[in-house]
Amino acid sequence: MYAAPSIQRLLDELEKLPGVGPKSAQRIAYWILNSSSSDALRLADAITDVKQHVHFCKRCFNYAQDELCEICASEKRDASVICVVSEPRDIPPIERTGVFSGTYHVLGGALSPLEGIGPDALHVTELLARLNDPGIKEVILATNPNVEGETTASYLARLIAPTGVKVTRLASGLPVGGDLEFADEVTLGRAIESRRVL
């Protein structure tokens, strides 16, 4: 398809976004072209603003606009509990539950020897430094329930154990509204292992 050089440049940049293929890039590009200049400029300003003003929280490595993210800066959070996640994008789903009121620590990935990601590439040292605070009572390991996430959780559990801080792992199992007949063996096995008394 022929496109003016400016349009082609926009299409090329849009296709670099995760999950955006050529057709999605075309739809977005044509939306930008057909929208008002003020709409397009607001989008451009929002992108520029986030790149200029958002960085990592110096304590937990979540996204922040100030020195500390809003969660670390809040006096309403339970600072004695740290929930360890792989990426900043893992925090919003936990926050939406309304159940967790502690703080977070973002590793910046998960252990993956095949991809050359070892402990030195993650914020493990910083997590262990946070555990020197005698007020820390529990670390919840909330890494993904896949090979890399399980490997990371096991590694961290072994490192944290000597500190005397309680280490827990998110339970995994059947989704609410799911049928047993459609559950895979691993998920069903974890549901049985993570069963609780009623």
Side-chain angles (χ1 to χ4, degrees), residues 173-175 177-192:
L174 299 172
D179 293 327
L180 287 177
E181 66 180 298
F182 300 117
D184 64 272
E185 293 81 12
V186 174
T187 300
L188 193 51
R190 286 186 178 162
I192 291 169

Side-chain angles (χ1 to χ4, degrees), residues 37-50:
S37 292
S38 60
D39 286 345
L41 289 173
R42 272 197 303 274
L43 175 61
D45 285 345
I47 293 170
T48 302
D49 183 58
V50 80

Side-chain angles (χ1 to χ4, degrees), residues 74-119:
S74 173
E75 294 180 7
K76 295 180 180 177
R77 305 299 291 216
D78 180 359
S80 71
V81 182
I82 299 173
C83 181
V84 178
V85 295
S86 296
E87 301 287 350
R89 67 175 172 252
D90 299 329
I91 294 175
I94 297 171
E95 286 295 290
R96 283 194 297 271
T97 68
V99 174
F100 182 68
S101 62
T103 60
Y104 293 91
H105 188 85
V106 179
L107 294 171
L111 294 175
S112 181
L114 293 176
E115 294 178 23
I117 301 173

Side-chain angles (χ1 to χ4, degrees), residues 54-174:
V54 176
H55 53 271
F56 291 115
C57 172
K58 77 170 200 172
R59 181 181 298 156
C60 76
F61 301 96
N62 185 14
Y63 292 127
Q65 283 194 244
D66 295 316
E67 192 171 300
L68 296 177
C69 69
E70 290 183 8
I71 294 171
C72 286
S74 173
E75 294 180 7
K76 295 180 180 177
R77 305 299 291 216
D78 180 359
S80 71
V81 182
I82 299 173
C83 181
V84 178
V85 295
S86 296
E87 301 287 350
R89 67 175 172 252
D90 299 329
I91 294 175
I94 297 171
E95 286 295 290
R96 283 194 297 271
T97 68
V99 174
F100 182 68
S101 62
T103 60
Y104 293 91
H105 188 85
V106 179
L107 294 171
L111 294 175
S112 181
L114 293 176
E115 294 178 23
I117 301 173
D120 293 342
L122 306 177
H123 298 294
V124 174
T125 304
E126 294 88 343
L127 173 62
L128 295 175
R130 288 181 70 184
L131 299 184
N132 289 330
D133 179 344
I136 304 297
K137 305 289 184 234
E138 180 181 2
V139 172
I140 302 169
L141 300 176
T143 53
N144 290 321
N146 55 25
V147 174
E148 293 82 5
E150 294 293 340
T151 302
T152 304
S154 296
Y155 173 76
L156 291 175
R158 285 193 308 272
L159 281 182
I160 297 168
T163 68
V165 174
K166 178 181 176 183
V167 181
T168 58
R169 178 90 169 109
L170 288 186
S172 57
L174 299 172

